Amino acid sequence: CAAAFHCASSQKSTPSAPKSLPQLSTMGASASVPEGAEERVAKVFKELDTNESGSVDATELGVAFKHAGLDKFDAALEARNWIDAFDKDGNTRIELKEFSEFFGRTLDAQGQEYTESMLQFFEEVVKVSKEAVAADATAATEAAKDVEAAAAEIATTEAATEAPAAAPAEPSA
């Protein structure tokens, strides 16, 4: 198993997006990347931003998670959870500023050791993803299709379970 993953049985899984961090809306804009980690954070962000758009979306993050060993559904769910943890402006994408501020908030809330472990986790995900793409040039395209299809299926399932039940039919006279 990759160092960033916890293996149970024979399946890999990512640690879940941290739920114990303060809500983004309550965090001040002053949170910044931990001192000395600016280059590492920027490098990880740049490598996650595979389409070079200046932001990381759920597909890009999901592809990295899929390459790192998650199945397409877990990759899509984890990507969405992490987007929710990072995304401060609500545009469903992560910009470098949000990525950096996340590590600052983590440092404030959880301390240096936890923050370092989160950064190492993302560095390992990026490393494994890059290796997968280097080994198979079509891997990124195929993984993106898988993650997007899984995300669409998840959204459809969630919408169906959240839809109000149909009103019972009136009895015929």
Side-chain angles (χ1 to χ4, degrees):
C1 282
F5 295 91
H6 304 285
C7 294
S9 304
S10 62
Q11 295 183 334
K12 298 177 185 177
S13 64
T14 65
S16 295
K19 301 295 184 194
S20 61
L21 290 177
Q23 293 297 312
L24 296 178
S25 61
T26 64
M27 296 300 301
S30 63
S32 63
V33 66
E35 188 175 324
E38 297 90 351
E39 259 183 53
R40 290 172 61 205
V41 169
K43 180 179 179 188
V44 168
F45 179 84
K46 182 179 180 183
E47 292 175 357
L48 287 171
D49 182 16
T50 57
N51 66 4
E52 300 178 352
S53 66
S55 64
V56 176
D57 63 22
T59 299
E60 289 169 306
L61 195 53
V63 166
F65 288 153
K66 187 172 187 305
H67 287 155
L70 292 182
D71 71 41
K72 65 184 179 181
F73 293 103
D74 287 340
L77 285 170
E78 286 299 328
R80 185 175 64 183
N81 289 340
W82 281 102
I83 294 287
D84 289 345
F86 283 108
D87 183 28
K88 190 173 183 179
D89 63 13
N91 68 355
T92 68
R93 292 177 191 78
I94 307 165
E95 287 77 28
L96 177 57
K97 179 180 179 190
E98 291 170 321
F99 196 68
S100 297
E101 288 177 351
F102 171 84
F103 287 99
R105 288 190 303 276
T106 303
L107 181 63
D108 291 346
Q110 302 289 337
Q112 181 68 35
E113 186 175 325
Y114 183 80
T115 304
E116 179 63 25
S117 72
M118 294 304 304
L119 184 52
Q120 287 176 357
F121 164 75
F122 279 100
E123 288 172 329
E124 184 67 17
V125 166
V126 165
K127 176 184 171 201
V128 172
S129 185
K130 284 176 63 174
E131 289 170 355
V133 172
D136 179 1
T138 62
T141 303
E142 292 303 314
K145 288 178 186 175
D146 283 351
V147 168
E148 288 171 349
E153 189 174 332
I154 292 166
T156 300
T157 301
E158 288 176 343
T161 60
E162 292 174 3
E170 291 289 323
S172 308

